[in-house]
Structures are given as structure tokens and as C-alpha cells.
Amino acid sequence: MKSIFKAKSKTTPTELITKFFGESESWRFREDDLEPLVELIRLIRPVKLKNLEIVDLHEIISFLKNNYFLREQFSIYIKEILTDKKFNKILSDAAILQDVDFIFEVKKRIFAKFLPYQPQKDTLEYILNQVFYRDDDTIWINKIPSQQLEELYTLLEFKSIYDTIELKSVLSEVFYGMYLITQRISGRAMETDVIKMVPEYEDYESPFSAFEKELFLMEDKIRNSENYFTTSDDLSYAQLMVLHKQCEEYVDKAFHNSSKYGISLRVNQNLLKIRQQLERLKFLIPLLIVDEKNDIKSNGIALALHLIKYNCYKNNVRKFIGESTQLISYEITQHTAKTGEHYITESRKEYFKMFRTALGGGFIVGILCVIKVLLSKADTSFFGHAFLYSMNYAFGFITIYLLGFTLATKQPAMTASALIKALEEGVLKQGRDAEKYKAFAILFARVFRSQFIAFVGNVIMAFPVSLLGIWLIDYTLDYNIAATKWESLLIDLSPIHSLAIFHAVIAGVFLFLSGIISGSIANRDKHNQVFFRITEHPLLKKSLGKNRTLKLAKLYEKRWAGIVSNFWFGIFMGSTASIGLFLGLNLDIRHITFASGNLALALYGANYEVSDSMLFWGVFGIGIIGLVNFMVSFSLSLGLAFRSRAISLFELRFVTVSIWNHFKSRPFSFFFPTEKKNKSEVVENYLSTDEQK
């Protein structure tokens, strides 16, 4: 008996059907015996899905046509296991957000990947979990020609989904699923945070409530009809689709207003769930329409295919994260794009202004390098050193930011978004793609030279300031603070004697994260109306006056995101080494400006008695560290910006070619401002867009 269920690897689908349902077999199915169907699907399922064009069922169809008894037995078996199986939960829940808590939803889906939730055996979801348990099953099923699916539908004598509307019938389950969805949408759309996103609808009836009422009327009409369906020229159907369109416009308007009011992750998840539910209804409503006789069959097949698809995708983590984070990342990069515009120089005046602000940043970093060496002398724990280093970095970076100075490599996280915004808008909307990529290359050259001069300004100032600082301490206290550390300071700069490149990558990641923090804080404050709340704070207005309160609100709006971003950047930079020591891992950070200051400290600590090779690798290491800092932070930010605007990474191919062609034709423009004003108007138009708005 057991041998019946063990299909050999070389068994064909037709042989399997014969084995299970042949006349010579005394086996009789029970309604919960899924083994025949599981084995059959396993044999039909393609081994490789890549470049799969078609899944041909011609052999099975021909076999069933020529074998009446086997076809009858197989048909009875399939209909028996599907009869009276509930599936409304698949329609209302599967592949739709179940919780607005992002972290909880991710954990739940990951857990379900390893230990799937198993519903009751009287549900269709249980059968689909057992038969189509792979995420990619829906891919190959959709490769089956529709003509073959219709032939199978006819051969197996499936009943019409409009046969009855009684309890547990197909149509009854469809309506119940639609009711669940519409009632959930209506309740979620009435939440305060969602309504706040669309003040334009405050004085109007909710389109969701109107849609729910119209759906009830349409269902009542179908229940009382002779055929249990309606036609596309029915006024009720037309009205229902108009209201559905209004619901979609409501959600689109809420998402669009996020640039004006900001958006939280919770509101984003609420709106995303409503959008997913509306998309589900957009598929379900046409199932109630039959204009031609063949629609009865095609609607039944479409329902079956979508049920499999929804069930396969219900635990998809990648798609969930992608959908959930796209708008949030867009709003974050919108902020960083606007900030990044200030870090892109064009004229010689702007170029040398960047140089001067970079000198100021190098001056502060030089002092921070000396202070860090002094703090390393403190007799404290790993946590103590992490705290001291973090505060040193954090307050130093905040000082650089508030004084308007520039820290090299801090800009890429900002300028990448500005570049993508230029690519997205096409810069020259009336031009060809070639013109768009050319304009992007020109803008990239400006970004690169802005970074180059920031590197130069930071490095040439951090070195003498650190040297002067350690000399003053030695001169005043007769104590060379780097006498015992100079060798490690020098070795840490060498890309061949240490993990300097890996540590520079870590610093690049932190630079990227600081940009994300800045954008998220600005977005959060906008959504929470912090500026307006400070402006209208009764106690502040009473104690400071309206004008000063307004100035405080403007100062907060302009500076707070940057302050928090720089504070956390300092925490990341200062605690990495201590965390590495605690974990027993070689973790640390390398930043080009600090590398320059540390080189000065190492030379003084060694009394300038350093071998030529070590000096060479130290100087060379500074350049490599700076390049890695830039490449990592810029590439991560570029990837996020591409992702947030749904631009294909395939565009990078054309962008890279355009940049390379521009470099070959004008290499000096990547290091010095060579374009004349009238030649760069193509990108200037982009930078002035937001100001005009």
C-alpha cells in the first residue's frame, strides 16, 4: 500500500495518474489524501525557472482525453478535495500587510518561512500550503498557456463559480472576502493620522464608506438575479468602479502630501495596507462580471491562479521591505537632496569657499585628534573609552556643522540624492536620454571636484593643527603624548600593514547612516508639525515673545536634524573600536581627515625618525582611505536614492559610460571649475527648481 505513494524520480505525470487512479488499483481516496496531487505537482514543476518560456501540459491533456476512466477518477478526486473549502481568508489576508508594526511584520514573515502557519484542514489555504509550498510556484504556473488551462478546466468538468451563492460556495466566499476588505479599509481610513494626510477630503463624505454601501447594494442585486452575476454595462458596476477610483485617488493624494506634511512609518504602513486592499478589490470586482459565455470559464481560472499567487507571496519578506521602505526612503532622500545642493560647487567663488570651509573643518579635526590621544591615556573600561571618544567626536562634528565648516566625505550621502533627483527629472525634460546622461555627468563632475577640494582643505589643515597641538603640549608640559603610540598610529594608516581599507569602509557606512538619520529626523519633525508646535507654544510665546519664538522654531527646523545626525555620527565613530575589543574583532574606523592628523601625531611622536617606506604608505594610505570613504558612502546613498525613486539600477550602465566620456573630454573639470557659467545652465536649472517652488 505504501508503495503506491512513492513516485520514483523518473516517473512521468501520466504514469503517476495511472498508478493512483488506474482500474487495477483498489485504492480509494479520502477527502484529506493530498499525496497524489502533491506528487503530480512535484513532477510537473520545472527544475529550473531561469529563462523559462512555457510549461507545456499537452501530454497530460492528451492522456486524459484518451483515457475516460482515469479522467473521471481524477476529476472526482480533484473536485472532492476542493468542495466546500473556505478561502475567504486568502482573499482578505494573504500577501496583505497584517500589522502596521514594521519590525513585528518582518519577524513574523521570517519565522513563517521556516515554520509556516498551518490553517485548518477544511480550508483551501491548507491544501495550497501542502501542494504549492514554494515561493516560485506562481512563476511557472503562469507560464502554462491559457488555452491549456481552459482545456483542463473543461476536461475535469469543474462547475461554474456562478453555480450557486449559498453558504461555502465560491461566490459566497468571494463576497465575504470583499466585505472583510472593505470594512477594514473603512475603519483604517478613518484613523486620525491617515485623515491628517488628506485635509482636502475633510468636508466630503469618505469614498470608502460610499464604496462599502454600493458593494452591499450590488451584492443584494446579484443574489436576487437569475444567474448570480452582472454585466459591465450595469450602472451599479460602473458606480462601484468610480468609487473605487476615488478611493485610489484618496490614497495617492495622501502619499503625495507626504512631501508637504512628512510621514511616519506607521502612517506609511496604514496607507500601504489600504492600497494593497484596494488592489485586491480591483481584481475581485471584475469576477462578478460576465459579458460572454467564455467569461464564466476564464473568471474561474483567474480566481484559481490568483489564489495560488496570493498564498505563495503571503510570507514574502523582500517584497514587503521594498514596498514598506520606498516612500520613507524617498522622503529621507528628498531632504538630503535639498541639503546636498549646498555641497555642489559650480563657480570658482563657490569652489574656493568650499576650500575655506574645509580648512575650518580640518582645524577642528586637528584638535579632535590631539584630544583623542589624550583621552586614550585615561584609565577606564572599554565602555569608558567608547563614551569619551564618542563625545569627543560628537561635539566636534556638531561644532563643525554649527560653524558652517565642511568635513570631507560627509557630503556624498547628501549629493547622491541630488544627482538622482537630476536624473529622475531628466534635467532637460525636452531632450533625449543622451542629453539627460550628459547633464548628469556634468553634475557628477561638480560633485567630485567639490569633494576633492574638501579633501584638500581638510588634509592640509588637520596636519599642521595636530602637529602644533602636540608640540604645544610637549613644549608646555614636557610630555610627548604620542611617544608610545606613534608606531600604531602610523601602521593603522598603511593599507598593506593593517586593515585600513576595511576600517575606511566602516567609516563610509557610518557616513551613509548619518545622512539617513538627518533625513529621517527632518521627515519626522515635518510629520509631527514640530515647527508649528514651537511657533504656537503658549509658554514660549509668553516668555520669549512671538518673534523670538518664531526664530527659535526656524533655528530648530534648520539645524536640529543636522545636530542629531552629527551626534550619532560621533557615537558610531567613537564606539566602534571599543565594541570590536569587546567582541574580539578587529573593528575600527578610518577617516581621511583624522588620518592626516594622526600622521602628524605619529611623526612627532617618533621624533620624525620614520622610514621612507612607512612614510610613503602612510601618505598613500590617507589617499586610499579618502577614496574608500567617498566610494562607500556615495554608492550606498546612490543605491538608496535609486531605490526610493524606483529607477532601475540598469541606468547605472549608461550613467557610468556618460561620466567616463565626460572625464575623457574634460578631465580637469573633475578637479577644478573649468565650465563657464553659460555652459552649465543645464544643471543650474535643476538646482533652482526647489527654490522656485
Side-chain angles (χ1 to χ4, degrees):
M1 191 70 177
K2 292 182 179 179
S3 62
I4 294 175
F5 294 96
K6 292 183 179 178
K8 296 179 181 179
S9 59
K10 294 184 180 180
T11 303
T12 65
T14 55
E15 290 173 341
L16 186 71
I17 293 173
T18 303
K19 183 176 293 187
F20 279 123
F21 306 105
E23 292 184 54
S24 61
E25 297 297 338
S26 59
W27 176 80
R28 290 293 180 267
F29 59 81
R30 299 191 313 274
E31 62 178 12
D32 60 345
D33 281 322
L34 296 177
E35 191 71 20
L37 186 58
V38 171
E39 288 297 323
L40 180 62
I41 295 300
R42 184 182 67 82
L43 293 174
I44 297 174
R45 183 186 288 120
V47 178
K48 295 182 180 179
L49 294 179
K50 190 176 182 180
N51 301 323
L52 181 67
E53 294 182 0
I54 189 174
V55 175
D56 192 359
L57 301 183
H58 177 73
E59 182 183 349
I60 298 175
I61 292 172
S62 298
F63 177 79
L64 292 175
K65 281 182 178 179
N66 298 325
N67 292 272
Y68 175 79
F69 178 79
L70 289 173
R71 183 173 77 240
E72 282 293 304
Q73 290 295 103
F74 186 54
S75 174
I76 293 170
Y77 167 71
I78 293 294
K79 286 187 284 189
E80 185 67 26
I81 64 174
L82 296 179
T83 299
D84 293 337
K85 294 297 187 292
K86 299 177 182 178
F87 60 86
N88 61 77
K89 189 175 180 181
I90 300 178
L91 296 177
S92 62
D93 294 1
I96 292 177
L97 284 173
Q98 296 305 302
D99 199 287
V100 295
D101 186 329
F102 177 78
I103 301 298
F104 176 80
E105 184 76 16
V106 170
K107 289 192 297 184
K108 186 181 73 173
R109 293 192 179 208
I110 292 175
F111 183 74
K113 287 277 187 181
F114 297 99
L115 191 63
Y117 165 75
Q118 297 300 336
Q120 297 299 313
K121 290 187 176 182
D122 64 342
T123 64
L124 183 62
E125 187 179 0
Y126 172 79
I127 297 173
L128 294 180
N129 281 4
Q130 301 299 313
V131 180
F132 301 104
Y133 50 84
R134 288 174 47 169
D135 292 345
D136 54 12
D137 275 333
T138 187
I139 297 175
W140 66 264
I141 287 173
N142 285 317
K143 297 292 184 180
I144 302 173
S146 58
Q147 183 181 356
Q148 292 186 358
L149 290 174
E150 290 181 6
E151 283 189 80
L152 275 176
Y153 186 94
T154 303
L155 282 171
L156 298 180
E157 300 176 342
F158 283 113
K159 291 182 179 180
S160 162
I161 63 174
Y162 309 100
D163 185 57
T164 179
I165 201 170
E166 299 301 320
L167 188 65
K168 289 188 178 182
S169 68
V170 173
L171 208 55
S172 167
E173 290 291 295
V174 170
F175 269 118
Y176 188 69
M178 293 173 72
Y179 290 150
L180 286 176
I181 294 173
T182 52
Q183 288 170 6
R184 289 171 183 175
I185 289 177
S186 296
R188 196 167 295 277
M190 293 296 103
E191 291 189 6
T192 303
D193 285 343
V194 175
I195 294 175
K196 187 173 71 173
M197 298 297 295
V198 278
E200 298 88 347
Y201 285 79
E202 282 184 358
D203 298 327
Y204 299 95
E205 180 187 4
S206 169
F208 301 100
S209 299
F211 178 88
E212 186 178 357
K213 294 174 186 176
E214 193 65 35
L215 180 63
F216 274 107
L217 291 174
M218 187 173 185
E219 191 237 350
D220 187 58
K221 188 174 183 180
I222 289 175
R223 281 187 179 276
N224 295 321
S225 69
E226 184 179 347
N227 298 315
Y228 302 124
F229 57 75
T230 186
T231 57
S232 58
D233 57 1
D234 190 320
L235 290 178
S236 297
Y237 170 70
Q239 177 66 11
L240 197 65
M241 295 309 294
V242 168
L243 291 171
H244 184 275
K245 181 66 176 175
Q246 291 178 2
C247 293
E248 288 183 320
E249 291 172 351
Y250 184 100
V251 176
D252 291 341
K253 186 66 177 176
F255 276 126
H256 178 75
N257 284 346
S258 63
S259 59
K260 187 188 300 183
Y261 305 117
I263 191 168
S264 68
L265 186 57
R266 182 178 180 82
V267 174
N268 179 74
Q269 298 301 90
N270 273 322
L271 291 173
L272 183 59
K273 184 168 184 176
I274 294 173
R275 174 176 280 178
Q276 289 177 338
Q277 290 169 326
L278 287 172
E279 288 175 357
R280 185 65 51 85
L281 288 171
K282 199 170 187 178
F283 161 70
L284 293 175
I285 295 171
L287 292 180
L288 308 177
I289 306 302
V290 175
D291 288 326
E292 300 177 3
K293 187 176 181 180
N294 193 57
D295 290 342
I296 296 175
K297 185 188 297 183
S298 59
N299 285 353
I301 294 172
L303 176 60
L305 293 177
H306 278 77
L307 286 170
I308 295 172
K309 175 185 174 182
Y310 297 149
N311 200 63
C312 285
Y313 286 159
K314 64 184 177 183
N315 293 322
N316 192 299
V317 178
R318 181 182 297 179
K319 184 180 179 183
F320 165 70
I321 293 176
E323 290 177 340
S324 299
T325 58
Q326 182 170 357
L327 182 66
I328 297 295
S329 61
Y330 180 83
E331 291 307 317
I332 290 171
T333 53
Q334 276 290 92
H335 168 77
T336 54
K338 294 175 182 178
T339 307
E341 293 167 10
H342 303 296
Y343 294 122
I344 304 175
T345 65
E346 179 184 10
S347 64
R348 292 180 181 273
K349 181 179 179 181
E350 293 171 349
Y351 182 78
F352 287 107
K353 181 182 178 182
M354 176 70 76
F355 177 67
R356 290 193 298 272
T357 59
L359 289 175
F363 180 84
I364 301 295
V365 169
I367 297 173
L368 297 180
C369 289
V370 176
I371 294 174
K372 185 183 178 184
V373 173
L374 289 172
L375 293 175
S376 69
K377 307 292 183 181
D379 184 15
T380 183
S381 62
F382 290 160
F383 175 80
H385 278 121
F387 177 78
L388 293 174
Y389 294 159
S390 296
M391 293 302 102
N392 177 46
Y393 282 125
F395 288 110
F397 294 149
I398 291 173
T399 302
I400 291 173
Y401 172 69
L402 292 178
L403 293 178
F405 294 152
T406 299
L407 181 66
T409 71
K410 190 77 168 65
Q411 305 98 311
M414 309 293 183
T415 53
S417 300
L419 283 166
I420 294 301
K421 188 178 177 186
L423 183 64
E424 178 191 38
E425 295 180 356
V427 185
L428 280 177
K429 294 182 179 179
Q430 73 277 16
R432 299 171 299 170
D433 283 347
E435 296 287 343
K436 175 177 69 173
Y437 296 126
K438 183 179 179 181
F440 182 93
I442 294 172
L443 190 58
F444 180 83
R446 288 171 54 189
V447 170
F448 192 88
R449 70 166 175 251
S450 302
Q451 282 298 290
F452 170 74
I453 196 60
F455 284 155
V456 172
N458 276 182
V459 169
I460 66 173
M461 179 57 78
F463 186 90
V465 170
S466 295
L467 198 61
L468 178 62
I470 192 173
W471 175 81
L472 285 174
I473 293 173
D474 192 18
Y475 180 80
T476 306
L477 304 176
D478 194 24
Y479 177 54
N480 186 343
I481 61 174
T484 59
K485 291 182 64 70
W486 70 267
E487 189 172 6
S488 63
L489 289 171
L490 198 56
I491 290 175
D492 287 345
L493 301 178
S494 172
I496 65 169
H497 297 99
S498 69
L499 295 177
I501 294 177
F502 172 64
H503 296 157
V505 169
I506 295 176
V509 173
F510 290 154
L511 287 160
F512 164 72
L513 290 177
S514 68
I516 297 300
I517 291 172
S518 177
S520 62
I521 292 294
N523 175 66
R524 183 201 65 187
D525 287 348
K526 184 191 295 185
H527 179 71
N528 292 330
Q529 299 179 315
V530 175
F531 173 81
F532 181 73
R533 289 158 74 172
I534 293 175
T535 304
E536 300 302 325
H537 196 290
L539 292 179
L540 289 177
K541 286 197 293 184
K542 184 177 181 180
S543 57
L544 299 178
K546 288 186 178 181
N547 291 334
R548 289 182 179 178
T549 302
L550 180 61
K551 288 180 180 178
L552 177 64
K554 288 181 177 179
L555 184 64
Y556 179 93
E557 184 180 46
K558 183 179 180 181
R559 296 292 190 183
W560 183 246
I563 290 173
V564 175
S565 167
N566 281 283
F567 178 80
W568 278 107
F569 182 45
I571 298 295
F572 296 150
M573 297 279 280
S575 59
T576 302
S578 297
I579 292 174
L581 289 171
F582 177 77
L583 297 175
L585 301 174
N586 189 356
L587 301 179
D588 210 340
I589 50 94
R590 295 289 176 267
H591 185 276
I592 181 173
T593 314
F594 288 90
S596 174
N598 288 340
L599 178 62
L601 297 176
L603 290 175
Y604 190 89
N607 200 24
Y608 306 104
E609 296 177 0
V610 177
S611 65
D612 292 340
S613 63
M614 288 302 296
L615 182 60
F616 167 78
W617 286 116
V619 175
F620 182 73
I622 292 174
I624 293 296
I625 289 168
L627 182 63
V628 172
N629 288 160
F630 174 80
M631 288 176 61
V632 171
S633 61
F634 186 77
S635 60
L636 289 173
S637 301
L638 200 66
L640 179 68
F642 265 96
R643 169 73 188 85
S644 68
R645 287 160 173 79
I647 299 176
S648 172
L649 291 176
F650 187 72
E651 293 255 12
L652 281 176
R653 176 185 176 186
F654 306 108
V655 167
T656 304
V657 171
S658 181
I659 291 172
W660 174 244
N661 290 334
H662 184 63
F663 179 78
K664 288 190 294 183
S665 62
R666 303 180 67 90
F668 286 104
S669 68
F670 282 73
F671 302 96
F672 307 101
T674 57
E675 300 102 329
K676 293 181 181 178
K677 190 75 173 179
N678 59 355
K679 286 187 178 181
S680 58
E681 288 178 14
V682 64
V683 286
E684 184 181 299
N685 292 337
Y686 154 68
L687 292 178
S688 62
T689 301
D690 283 329
E691 294 176 6
Q692 291 174 1
K693 288 179 182 178

